Amino acid sequence: MPTVSQTKSRRSRSLRQLVYSQFLRSSLIPIFVIEVALLLLYFGITHYIAERNIRIALDSAKLNIAELAIAEVHVIDEHLTAIERVGSVLQAHHQYLFTHFDHVMVANEPDFETAENGAWVKKGGEGASLYYSAETIIGSEQLEKAVKTEEMDPLLQQVVDQHDSIVAAYFNSWDNMNRLYPYIDNVADQYGPHINMEDYNFYYLADAKHNPDRKPVWTNAYLDPAGQGWMISNIFPIYRGDFLEGVSGLDITLPQVTQTLESLSLPWQSGAMILDDTGTVLSMTPEIEVLLGIQELTTHEYNEVITETIVKPWQFNLYQNDSDSSQLLKQALQKAKVSGPQEFELNGEGYILVVNGIETTNWLLVMVTPKAVVFEEIYHQRRISSQIGYAAIAFMVLFYLMFFVYLMLRSRQLANKIVEPIAKLSQMVHDAVHSSEKPGKQPVNLDVAELDYLADIHRQLSEANHIYQSMVKEVTRKNAQLERISETDSLTQLNNRLKLDRSLAQEVKRAERYGEKFSVIMLDLDHFKRVNDNFGHQVGDSVLIELAELIKAQVRESDIVGRWGGEEFMVICPNTAKEQGALLAEKLHRRVEANHFSTVGKQTASFGVSGYRAGDNVESLVERADVALYRAKANGRNRIEIEHL
Ligand SMILES: Nc1nc2c(ncn2[C@@H]2O[C@H](COP(=O)(O)OP(=O)(O)OP(=O)(O)O)[C@@H](O)[C@H]2O)c(=O)[nH]1
């Protein structure tokens, strides 16, 4: 017998699934949606704030850097102006010397000699060194100049000794004389035999053609012939009247310029460089070296004599170097000149570039600031915000998983709480429907009031149903009893005429359908009237009862025996041909004849036998048996007659 759960419809969902899906819809999905929305909001807001902060910080950084750059330019400008002031003193002194050349008196004349290479130099090691190119013929004029310019030495010495940034002070004459402090021991070897002053920038830049205003002039970076490496010079012409006697100068090495640059208080790990008017990097801080991928020139190995101006290689020229970094810097620089601080990107890093002119020299101070440093704090904040966000996501996922498991368990519990009593109730109904047992009177406790109520109603219904079923059974039994009575002869307890008629009809149908044979025996006691007359009706009745039992005892179980009426009986023999029916009649005849009936003694009976023929009905079949019986009576009784063919 299937249980309730087994008979569950396949299309319907179980109550447990229903409860679970309701939980899912009403709790989990809304929570998930809200949490995702909150996270999106969080990330959106923090992103917006960070971007806004970056924009504000960028603007303020640009402003700060620009202001700072102006201040730094002032510092450099002042530095250069201070050197120019020193130069002016030197210039005034040298001009005075030449203006009053005739009156100059020198106490201790130095000794001179012609070096091996033909250059004419001062001996000794006192004051400044003196050099005359071998190409200049040393006459009295040259000797006088060499001697009288000894007057320059104390001031040259003082200038160099008192100013850290000035490494050398000198005077170069139009006829290729060089007087330079500090003293160069091997000056002839250092300069070589020939020097043509007009070939060097530290001379020609100050001449009448390049410097008609006779102002102090700053050279670009060049390689010092005097052996001090890479440097720049502040030079100024020395005129006697309109005649250019020569050019005096102060030397500053590039490392010193760089030192000045590095001493600037640059914010945010900014780098700085000074560009001269040709676009050559005069000096740069290490940050710019990294950016440009070149190393600043500091020292120089003097393997050869410097015979002309040697400027920095083309790689140092921002306009000529075609590397990506140089090009980027150049573009940013040109834009910055027009519209202020510029942003550019190099190797995935963002930078801010600011440029300012250094008035004194016409150079440019370029400051480059990495954005990452400017925004470090903001980036840090953003990283923290992101980390908080990711932690929130992780927490949310964890929480959601835990909540999911919790709700699943809860929903299962709830589903069980609802499902189990319903299943119990369903099983009860199922059992009650399929069981004949009387339902119990005890009320059922299902822990759910509504279900208990339902169960109680069901119990009452079951009780009523049980009573109804009992009544139906009783009625059925009575009906069956009535049917039996209606088909039974009350005297002999054999089948009555009604039952015999029904059986005959049934056998006729069966014979028609299956082609079976069957036969009918009709028997009638002979002269029964006499029994009644002689012994009374009651004795007659008992004779009939005795005969009924006798017949019953002789026939098969499958034969149908009945009282046709009065003292006339019938035996229906299914599946029995007429001939066998006749044999049975014979047997009955002998038994009746042999029987000693109580009170009345011997009795006889007459028999008529007929067999089913195709096309027969009950009437025709019975009539032929009846005719045969009549013939038996007519032929003397106590005999058997079989129907005629
Ligand atoms: N005691 C008793 N007698 C019955 C019953 N039914 C019919 N009889 C009698 O049976 C007798 C039948 O008589 P008849 O028809 O003349 O037949 P018979 O005397 O047997 O003569 P045959 O049949 O010609 O040999 C009548 O006297 C009926 O009253 C019954 O139920 N009980």
Side-chain angles (χ1 to χ4, degrees), residues 87 90-99 152 170-172 203 206 214 236-249:
L90 208 61
Q91 182 188 28
H93 179 241
H94 291 181
Q95 280 195 163
Y96 181 85
L97 197 76
F98 279 105
T99 313
M152 293 179 176
Y170 52 84
F171 168 74
N172 294 318
Y203 187 89
R214 304 180 183 181
F236 28 86
I238 307 296
Y239 283 92
R240 182 164 23 179
D242 283 334
F243 180 73
L244 181 67
E245 285 290 346
V247 173
S248 295

PDB file of all heavy atoms in Angstrom, residues 87 90-99 152 170-172 203 206 214 236-249:
ATOM      1  N   GLY A  87      82.593  89.632  -9.664  1.00  0.00           N
ATOM      2  CA  GLY A  87      83.200  89.833 -10.988  1.00  0.00           C
ATOM      3  C   GLY A  87      83.348  91.314 -11.316  1.00  0.00           C
ATOM      4  O   GLY A  87      84.360  91.742 -11.902  1.00  0.00           O
ATOM      5  N   LEU A  90      86.307  92.727  -9.723  1.00  0.00           N
ATOM      6  CA  LEU A  90      87.502  92.284 -10.449  1.00  0.00           C
ATOM      7  C   LEU A  90      87.660  93.082 -11.747  1.00  0.00           C
ATOM      8  O   LEU A  90      88.756  93.560 -12.093  1.00  0.00           O
ATOM      9  CB  LEU A  90      87.351  90.783 -10.771  1.00  0.00           C
ATOM     10  CG  LEU A  90      88.620  89.973 -10.892  1.00  0.00           C
ATOM     11  CD1 LEU A  90      89.411  89.988  -9.600  1.00  0.00           C
ATOM     12  CD2 LEU A  90      88.265  88.516 -11.240  1.00  0.00           C
ATOM     13  N   GLN A  91      86.495  93.254 -12.428  1.00  0.00           N
ATOM     14  CA  GLN A  91      86.510  93.981 -13.703  1.00  0.00           C
ATOM     15  C   GLN A  91      87.006  95.420 -13.492  1.00  0.00           C
ATOM     16  O   GLN A  91      87.858  95.921 -14.229  1.00  0.00           O
ATOM     17  CB  GLN A  91      85.100  93.981 -14.299  1.00  0.00           C
ATOM     18  CG  GLN A  91      85.000  94.654 -15.643  1.00  0.00           C
ATOM     19  CD  GLN A  91      83.541  94.799 -16.109  1.00  0.00           C
ATOM     20  OE1 GLN A  91      82.617  94.884 -15.294  1.00  0.00           O
ATOM     21  NE2 GLN A  91      83.369  94.811 -17.425  1.00  0.00           N
ATOM     22  N   ALA A  92      86.467  96.056 -12.425  1.00  0.00           N
ATOM     23  CA  ALA A  92      86.836  97.447 -12.139  1.00  0.00           C
ATOM     24  C   ALA A  92      88.338  97.543 -11.861  1.00  0.00           C
ATOM     25  O   ALA A  92      89.035  98.449 -12.365  1.00  0.00           O
ATOM     26  CB  ALA A  92      86.046  97.943 -10.929  1.00  0.00           C
ATOM     27  N   HIS A  93      88.796  96.506 -11.106  1.00  0.00           N
ATOM     28  CA  HIS A  93      90.208  96.529 -10.741  1.00  0.00           C
ATOM     29  C   HIS A  93      91.088  96.366 -11.972  1.00  0.00           C
ATOM     30  O   HIS A  93      92.067  97.101 -12.172  1.00  0.00           O
ATOM     31  CB  HIS A  93      90.499  95.412  -9.729  1.00  0.00           C
ATOM     32  CG  HIS A  93      91.931  95.357  -9.309  1.00  0.00           C
ATOM     33  ND1 HIS A  93      92.728  94.257  -9.537  1.00  0.00           N
ATOM     34  CD2 HIS A  93      92.745  96.272  -8.688  1.00  0.00           C
ATOM     35  CE1 HIS A  93      93.944  94.490  -9.089  1.00  0.00           C
ATOM     36  NE2 HIS A  93      93.976  95.720  -8.543  1.00  0.00           N
ATOM     37  N   HIS A  94      90.726  95.416 -12.836  1.00  0.00           N
ATOM     38  CA  HIS A  94      91.545  95.141 -14.022  1.00  0.00           C
ATOM     39  C   HIS A  94      91.504  96.309 -15.005  1.00  0.00           C
ATOM     40  O   HIS A  94      92.521  96.669 -15.598  1.00  0.00           O
ATOM     41  CB  HIS A  94      91.073  93.848 -14.703  1.00  0.00           C
ATOM     42  CG  HIS A  94      91.368  92.621 -13.880  1.00  0.00           C
ATOM     43  ND1 HIS A  94      91.064  91.343 -14.284  1.00  0.00           N
ATOM     44  CD2 HIS A  94      91.940  92.476 -12.654  1.00  0.00           C
ATOM     45  CE1 HIS A  94      91.435  90.469 -13.362  1.00  0.00           C
ATOM     46  NE2 HIS A  94      91.957  91.172 -12.330  1.00  0.00           N
ATOM     47  N   GLN A  95      90.332  96.943 -15.111  1.00  0.00           N
ATOM     48  CA  GLN A  95      90.238  98.092 -16.022  1.00  0.00           C
ATOM     49  C   GLN A  95      91.084  99.253 -15.507  1.00  0.00           C
ATOM     50  O   GLN A  95      91.757  99.942 -16.268  1.00  0.00           O
ATOM     51  CB  GLN A  95      88.779  98.510 -16.182  1.00  0.00           C
ATOM     52  CG  GLN A  95      88.105  97.606 -17.169  1.00  0.00           C
ATOM     53  CD  GLN A  95      86.754  98.139 -17.673  1.00  0.00           C
ATOM     54  OE1 GLN A  95      86.311  97.661 -18.673  1.00  0.00           O
ATOM     55  NE2 GLN A  95      86.141  99.078 -17.003  1.00  0.00           N
ATOM     56  N   TYR A  96      91.028  99.407 -14.192  1.00  0.00           N
ATOM     57  CA  TYR A  96      91.825 100.477 -13.562  1.00  0.00           C
ATOM     58  C   TYR A  96      93.294 100.248 -13.841  1.00  0.00           C
ATOM     59  O   TYR A  96      94.037 101.164 -14.196  1.00  0.00           O
ATOM     60  CB  TYR A  96      91.549 100.483 -12.050  1.00  0.00           C
ATOM     61  CG  TYR A  96      92.306 101.564 -11.310  1.00  0.00           C
ATOM     62  CD1 TYR A  96      91.799 102.871 -11.223  1.00  0.00           C
ATOM     63  CD2 TYR A  96      93.555 101.297 -10.721  1.00  0.00           C
ATOM     64  CE1 TYR A  96      92.522 103.862 -10.577  1.00  0.00           C
ATOM     65  CE2 TYR A  96      94.281 102.279 -10.067  1.00  0.00           C
ATOM     66  CZ  TYR A  96      93.750 103.561  -9.997  1.00  0.00           C
ATOM     67  OH  TYR A  96      94.465 104.534  -9.363  1.00  0.00           O
ATOM     68  N   LEU A  97      93.688  98.947 -13.730  1.00  0.00           N
ATOM     69  CA  LEU A  97      95.091  98.588 -13.929  1.00  0.00           C
ATOM     70  C   LEU A  97      95.554  98.968 -15.337  1.00  0.00           C
ATOM     71  O   LEU A  97      96.614  99.577 -15.511  1.00  0.00           O
ATOM     72  CB  LEU A  97      95.253  97.068 -13.721  1.00  0.00           C
ATOM     73  CG  LEU A  97      96.660  96.567 -13.488  1.00  0.00           C
ATOM     74  CD1 LEU A  97      97.110  96.881 -12.065  1.00  0.00           C
ATOM     75  CD2 LEU A  97      96.695  95.041 -13.669  1.00  0.00           C
ATOM     76  N   PHE A  98      94.710  98.620 -16.317  1.00  0.00           N
ATOM     77  CA  PHE A  98      95.112  98.924 -17.703  1.00  0.00           C
ATOM     78  C   PHE A  98      95.022 100.408 -18.006  1.00  0.00           C
ATOM     79  O   PHE A  98      95.806 100.942 -18.780  1.00  0.00           O
ATOM     80  CB  PHE A  98      94.263  98.107 -18.695  1.00  0.00           C
ATOM     81  CG  PHE A  98      94.778  96.693 -18.849  1.00  0.00           C
ATOM     82  CD1 PHE A  98      94.119  95.622 -18.267  1.00  0.00           C
ATOM     83  CD2 PHE A  98      95.967  96.446 -19.567  1.00  0.00           C
ATOM     84  CE1 PHE A  98      94.589  94.329 -18.382  1.00  0.00           C
ATOM     85  CE2 PHE A  98      96.425  95.150 -19.672  1.00  0.00           C
ATOM     86  CZ  PHE A  98      95.762  94.081 -19.096  1.00  0.00           C
ATOM     87  N   THR A  99      94.039 101.080 -17.371  1.00  0.00           N
ATOM     88  CA  THR A  99      93.900 102.521 -17.606  1.00  0.00           C
ATOM     89  C   THR A  99      95.141 103.275 -17.089  1.00  0.00           C
ATOM     90  O   THR A  99      95.598 104.230 -17.694  1.00  0.00           O
ATOM     91  CB  THR A  99      92.635 103.043 -16.898  1.00  0.00           C
ATOM     92  OG1 THR A  99      91.551 102.167 -17.202  1.00  0.00           O
ATOM     93  CG2 THR A  99      92.269 104.454 -17.353  1.00  0.00           C
ATOM     94  N   MET A 152      97.456  92.012 -10.392  1.00  0.00           N
ATOM     95  CA  MET A 152      96.112  91.404 -10.303  1.00  0.00           C
ATOM     96  C   MET A 152      96.052  90.304  -9.250  1.00  0.00           C
ATOM     97  O   MET A 152      94.989  89.993  -8.703  1.00  0.00           O
ATOM     98  CB  MET A 152      95.716  90.776 -11.655  1.00  0.00           C
ATOM     99  CG  MET A 152      95.504  91.763 -12.762  1.00  0.00           C
ATOM    100  SD  MET A 152      95.087  90.836 -14.274  1.00  0.00           S
ATOM    101  CE  MET A 152      94.770  92.169 -15.419  1.00  0.00           C
ATOM    102  N   TYR A 170      90.675  84.686 -13.318  1.00  0.00           N
ATOM    103  CA  TYR A 170      91.727  84.828 -14.336  1.00  0.00           C
ATOM    104  C   TYR A 170      91.548  86.065 -15.197  1.00  0.00           C
ATOM    105  O   TYR A 170      90.489  86.697 -15.189  1.00  0.00           O
ATOM    106  CB  TYR A 170      91.779  83.585 -15.233  1.00  0.00           C
ATOM    107  CG  TYR A 170      90.431  83.238 -15.814  1.00  0.00           C
ATOM    108  CD1 TYR A 170      89.965  83.867 -16.976  1.00  0.00           C
ATOM    109  CD2 TYR A 170      89.624  82.289 -15.186  1.00  0.00           C
ATOM    110  CE1 TYR A 170      88.734  83.559 -17.498  1.00  0.00           C
ATOM    111  CE2 TYR A 170      88.381  81.981 -15.705  1.00  0.00           C
ATOM    112  CZ  TYR A 170      87.940  82.610 -16.867  1.00  0.00           C
ATOM    113  OH  TYR A 170      86.710  82.317 -17.369  1.00  0.00           O
ATOM    114  N   PHE A 171      92.627  86.318 -15.932  1.00  0.00           N
ATOM    115  CA  PHE A 171      92.561  87.355 -16.957  1.00  0.00           C
ATOM    116  C   PHE A 171      93.200  86.761 -18.208  1.00  0.00           C
ATOM    117  O   PHE A 171      94.289  86.186 -18.166  1.00  0.00           O
ATOM    118  CB  PHE A 171      93.341  88.612 -16.529  1.00  0.00           C
ATOM    119  CG  PHE A 171      93.549  89.576 -17.664  1.00  0.00           C
ATOM    120  CD1 PHE A 171      92.488  90.365 -18.160  1.00  0.00           C
ATOM    121  CD2 PHE A 171      94.794  89.695 -18.280  1.00  0.00           C
ATOM    122  CE1 PHE A 171      92.690  91.231 -19.231  1.00  0.00           C
ATOM    123  CE2 PHE A 171      94.980  90.572 -19.348  1.00  0.00           C
ATOM    124  CZ  PHE A 171      93.928  91.341 -19.827  1.00  0.00           C
ATOM    125  N   ASN A 172      92.485  86.876 -19.363  1.00  0.00           N
ATOM    126  CA  ASN A 172      93.012  86.420 -20.645  1.00  0.00           C
ATOM    127  C   ASN A 172      93.198  87.636 -21.536  1.00  0.00           C
ATOM    128  O   ASN A 172      92.251  88.401 -21.746  1.00  0.00           O
ATOM    129  CB  ASN A 172      92.037  85.451 -21.316  1.00  0.00           C
ATOM    130  CG  ASN A 172      91.901  84.163 -20.522  1.00  0.00           C
ATOM    131  OD1 ASN A 172      92.897  83.624 -20.035  1.00  0.00           O
ATOM    132  ND2 ASN A 172      90.670  83.673 -20.349  1.00  0.00           N
ATOM    133  N   TYR A 203      86.179  83.558 -23.744  1.00  0.00           N
ATOM    134  CA  TYR A 203      86.771  84.812 -24.215  1.00  0.00           C
ATOM    135  C   TYR A 203      85.831  85.518 -25.198  1.00  0.00           C
ATOM    136  O   TYR A 203      85.389  86.623 -24.955  1.00  0.00           O
ATOM    137  CB  TYR A 203      88.133  84.550 -24.895  1.00  0.00           C
ATOM    138  CG  TYR A 203      88.855  85.846 -25.238  1.00  0.00           C
ATOM    139  CD1 TYR A 203      89.708  86.454 -24.318  1.00  0.00           C
ATOM    140  CD2 TYR A 203      88.642  86.487 -26.459  1.00  0.00           C
ATOM    141  CE1 TYR A 203      90.335  87.658 -24.613  1.00  0.00           C
ATOM    142  CE2 TYR A 203      89.251  87.693 -26.763  1.00  0.00           C
ATOM    143  CZ  TYR A 203      90.105  88.266 -25.826  1.00  0.00           C
ATOM    144  OH  TYR A 203      90.707  89.460 -26.114  1.00  0.00           O
ATOM    145  N   ALA A 206      82.542  87.512 -24.489  1.00  0.00           N
ATOM    146  CA  ALA A 206      82.576  88.841 -23.852  1.00  0.00           C
ATOM    147  C   ALA A 206      83.133  89.907 -24.800  1.00  0.00           C
ATOM    148  O   ALA A 206      83.256  91.073 -24.427  1.00  0.00           O
ATOM    149  CB  ALA A 206      83.425  88.772 -22.584  1.00  0.00           C
ATOM    150  N   ARG A 214      79.260  95.467 -22.900  1.00  0.00           N
ATOM    151  CA  ARG A 214      80.391  95.277 -21.981  1.00  0.00           C
ATOM    152  C   ARG A 214      79.928  94.818 -20.589  1.00  0.00           C
ATOM    153  O   ARG A 214      80.471  95.199 -19.567  1.00  0.00           O
ATOM    154  CB  ARG A 214      81.222  96.567 -21.880  1.00  0.00           C
ATOM    155  CG  ARG A 214      81.720  97.069 -23.209  1.00  0.00           C
ATOM    156  CD  ARG A 214      82.540  98.339 -23.069  1.00  0.00           C
ATOM    157  NE  ARG A 214      82.940  98.845 -24.383  1.00  0.00           N
ATOM    158  CZ  ARG A 214      83.677  99.917 -24.584  1.00  0.00           C
ATOM    159  NH1 ARG A 214      84.094 100.623 -23.532  1.00  0.00           N
ATOM    160  NH2 ARG A 214      84.010 100.311 -25.792  1.00  0.00           N
ATOM    161  N   PHE A 236      83.876  88.955 -18.101  1.00  0.00           N
ATOM    162  CA  PHE A 236      83.580  90.382 -18.338  1.00  0.00           C
ATOM    163  C   PHE A 236      84.767  91.003 -19.084  1.00  0.00           C
ATOM    164  O   PHE A 236      85.934  90.655 -18.854  1.00  0.00           O
ATOM    165  CB  PHE A 236      83.308  91.108 -17.023  1.00  0.00           C
ATOM    166  CG  PHE A 236      84.022  90.490 -15.857  1.00  0.00           C
ATOM    167  CD1 PHE A 236      85.330  90.865 -15.555  1.00  0.00           C
ATOM    168  CD2 PHE A 236      83.406  89.489 -15.088  1.00  0.00           C
ATOM    169  CE1 PHE A 236      85.978  90.264 -14.490  1.00  0.00           C
ATOM    170  CE2 PHE A 236      84.075  88.892 -14.037  1.00  0.00           C
ATOM    171  CZ  PHE A 236      85.374  89.273 -13.729  1.00  0.00           C
ATOM    172  N   PRO A 237      84.440  91.859 -20.020  1.00  0.00           N
ATOM    173  CA  PRO A 237      85.525  92.430 -20.848  1.00  0.00           C
ATOM    174  C   PRO A 237      86.324  93.493 -20.091  1.00  0.00           C
ATOM    175  O   PRO A 237      85.781  94.181 -19.225  1.00  0.00           O
ATOM    176  CB  PRO A 237      84.764  93.053 -22.013  1.00  0.00           C
ATOM    177  CG  PRO A 237      83.412  93.385 -21.449  1.00  0.00           C
ATOM    178  CD  PRO A 237      83.125  92.406 -20.369  1.00  0.00           C
ATOM    179  N   ILE A 238      87.613  93.581 -20.443  1.00  0.00           N
ATOM    180  CA  ILE A 238      88.474  94.622 -19.847  1.00  0.00           C
ATOM    181  C   ILE A 238      88.909  95.554 -20.979  1.00  0.00           C
ATOM    182  O   ILE A 238      89.608  95.127 -21.910  1.00  0.00           O
ATOM    183  CB  ILE A 238      89.720  93.992 -19.186  1.00  0.00           C
ATOM    184  CG1 ILE A 238      89.305  92.882 -18.183  1.00  0.00           C
ATOM    185  CG2 ILE A 238      90.597  95.058 -18.517  1.00  0.00           C
ATOM    186  CD1 ILE A 238      88.491  93.351 -16.991  1.00  0.00           C
ATOM    187  N   TYR A 239      88.378  96.719 -20.933  1.00  0.00           N
ATOM    188  CA  TYR A 239      88.680  97.709 -21.986  1.00  0.00           C
ATOM    189  C   TYR A 239      89.648  98.760 -21.464  1.00  0.00           C
ATOM    190  O   TYR A 239      89.581  99.148 -20.306  1.00  0.00           O
ATOM    191  CB  TYR A 239      87.391  98.398 -22.434  1.00  0.00           C
ATOM    192  CG  TYR A 239      86.536  97.535 -23.373  1.00  0.00           C
ATOM    193  CD1 TYR A 239      85.539  96.710 -22.880  1.00  0.00           C
ATOM    194  CD2 TYR A 239      86.768  97.597 -24.762  1.00  0.00           C
ATOM    195  CE1 TYR A 239      84.773  95.930 -23.715  1.00  0.00           C
ATOM    196  CE2 TYR A 239      85.989  96.816 -25.604  1.00  0.00           C
ATOM    197  CZ  TYR A 239      84.997  95.990 -25.096  1.00  0.00           C
ATOM    198  OH  TYR A 239      84.240  95.229 -25.930  1.00  0.00           O
ATOM    199  N   ARG A 240      90.560  99.120 -22.385  1.00  0.00           N
ATOM    200  CA  ARG A 240      91.287 100.385 -22.131  1.00  0.00           C
ATOM    201  C   ARG A 240      90.782 101.327 -23.200  1.00  0.00           C
ATOM    202  O   ARG A 240      91.095 101.157 -24.386  1.00  0.00           O
ATOM    203  CB  ARG A 240      92.782 100.178 -22.282  1.00  0.00           C
ATOM    204  CG  ARG A 240      93.503 101.471 -21.978  1.00  0.00           C
ATOM    205  CD  ARG A 240      94.966 101.422 -21.717  1.00  0.00           C
ATOM    206  NE  ARG A 240      95.737 100.341 -22.218  1.00  0.00           N
ATOM    207  CZ  ARG A 240      97.043 100.248 -22.047  1.00  0.00           C
ATOM    208  NH1 ARG A 240      97.702 101.161 -21.355  1.00  0.00           N
ATOM    209  NH2 ARG A 240      97.715  99.250 -22.539  1.00  0.00           N
ATOM    210  N   GLY A 241      89.926 102.265 -22.785  1.00  0.00           N
ATOM    211  CA  GLY A 241      89.222 103.079 -23.782  1.00  0.00           C
ATOM    212  C   GLY A 241      88.305 102.169 -24.558  1.00  0.00           C
ATOM    213  O   GLY A 241      87.480 101.485 -23.974  1.00  0.00           O
ATOM    214  N   ASP A 242      88.463 102.117 -25.890  1.00  0.00           N
ATOM    215  CA  ASP A 242      87.630 101.212 -26.681  1.00  0.00           C
ATOM    216  C   ASP A 242      88.396  99.977 -27.117  1.00  0.00           C
ATOM    217  O   ASP A 242      87.909  99.178 -27.908  1.00  0.00           O
ATOM    218  CB  ASP A 242      87.101 101.942 -27.929  1.00  0.00           C
ATOM    219  CG  ASP A 242      85.952 102.868 -27.544  1.00  0.00           C
ATOM    220  OD1 ASP A 242      85.284 102.569 -26.505  1.00  0.00           O
ATOM    221  OD2 ASP A 242      85.725 103.848 -28.249  1.00  0.00           O
ATOM    222  N   PHE A 243      89.578  99.876 -26.559  1.00  0.00           N
ATOM    223  CA  PHE A 243      90.383  98.717 -26.948  1.00  0.00           C
ATOM    224  C   PHE A 243      90.180  97.581 -25.934  1.00  0.00           C
ATOM    225  O   PHE A 243      90.298  97.773 -24.732  1.00  0.00           O
ATOM    226  CB  PHE A 243      91.873  99.096 -27.003  1.00  0.00           C
ATOM    227  CG  PHE A 243      92.741  97.926 -27.400  1.00  0.00           C
ATOM    228  CD1 PHE A 243      92.753  97.467 -28.727  1.00  0.00           C
ATOM    229  CD2 PHE A 243      93.527  97.268 -26.445  1.00  0.00           C
ATOM    230  CE1 PHE A 243      93.549  96.388 -29.062  1.00  0.00           C
ATOM    231  CE2 PHE A 243      94.312  96.178 -26.799  1.00  0.00           C
ATOM    232  CZ  PHE A 243      94.334  95.737 -28.115  1.00  0.00           C
ATOM    233  N   LEU A 244      89.849  96.429 -26.499  1.00  0.00           N
ATOM    234  CA  LEU A 244      89.614  95.274 -25.620  1.00  0.00           C
ATOM    235  C   LEU A 244      90.947  94.634 -25.256  1.00  0.00           C
ATOM    236  O   LEU A 244      91.582  93.978 -26.068  1.00  0.00           O
ATOM    237  CB  LEU A 244      88.713  94.247 -26.327  1.00  0.00           C
ATOM    238  CG  LEU A 244      88.375  93.005 -25.521  1.00  0.00           C
ATOM    239  CD1 LEU A 244      87.483  93.325 -24.319  1.00  0.00           C
ATOM    240  CD2 LEU A 244      87.680  91.951 -26.391  1.00  0.00           C
ATOM    241  N   GLU A 245      91.378  94.895 -24.025  1.00  0.00           N
ATOM    242  CA  GLU A 245      92.646  94.341 -23.563  1.00  0.00           C
ATOM    243  C   GLU A 245      92.523  92.834 -23.321  1.00  0.00           C
ATOM    244  O   GLU A 245      93.472  92.091 -23.481  1.00  0.00           O
ATOM    245  CB  GLU A 245      93.066  95.026 -22.258  1.00  0.00           C
ATOM    246  CG  GLU A 245      93.610  96.429 -22.434  1.00  0.00           C
ATOM    247  CD  GLU A 245      94.975  96.440 -23.111  1.00  0.00           C
ATOM    248  OE1 GLU A 245      95.636  95.388 -23.215  1.00  0.00           O
ATOM    249  OE2 GLU A 245      95.372  97.541 -23.570  1.00  0.00           O
ATOM    250  N   GLY A 246      91.366  92.454 -22.927  1.00  0.00           N
ATOM    251  CA  GLY A 246      91.186  91.023 -22.639  1.00  0.00           C
ATOM    252  C   GLY A 246      89.879  90.766 -21.909  1.00  0.00           C
ATOM    253  O   GLY A 246      89.015  91.639 -21.835  1.00  0.00           O
ATOM    254  N   VAL A 247      89.767  89.560 -21.395  1.00  0.00           N
ATOM    255  CA  VAL A 247      88.546  89.169 -20.677  1.00  0.00           C
ATOM    256  C   VAL A 247      88.958  88.533 -19.357  1.00  0.00           C
ATOM    257  O   VAL A 247      89.806  87.639 -19.324  1.00  0.00           O
ATOM    258  CB  VAL A 247      87.726  88.159 -21.503  1.00  0.00           C
ATOM    259  CG1 VAL A 247      86.564  87.622 -20.692  1.00  0.00           C
ATOM    260  CG2 VAL A 247      87.222  88.796 -22.792  1.00  0.00           C
ATOM    261  N   SER A 248      88.357  89.039 -18.285  1.00  0.00           N
ATOM    262  CA  SER A 248      88.594  88.411 -16.982  1.00  0.00           C
ATOM    263  C   SER A 248      87.406  87.506 -16.651  1.00  0.00           C
ATOM    264  O   SER A 248      86.309  87.706 -17.162  1.00  0.00           O
ATOM    265  CB  SER A 248      88.736  89.468 -15.897  1.00  0.00           C
ATOM    266  OG  SER A 248      89.902  90.230 -16.160  1.00  0.00           O
ATOM    267  N   GLY A 249      87.639  86.534 -15.777  1.00  0.00           N
ATOM    268  CA  GLY A 249      86.534  85.613 -15.490  1.00  0.00           C
ATOM    269  C   GLY A 249      86.675  84.894 -14.167  1.00  0.00           C
ATOM    270  O   GLY A 249      87.753  84.845 -13.565  1.00  0.00           O
TER     271      GLY A 249
END
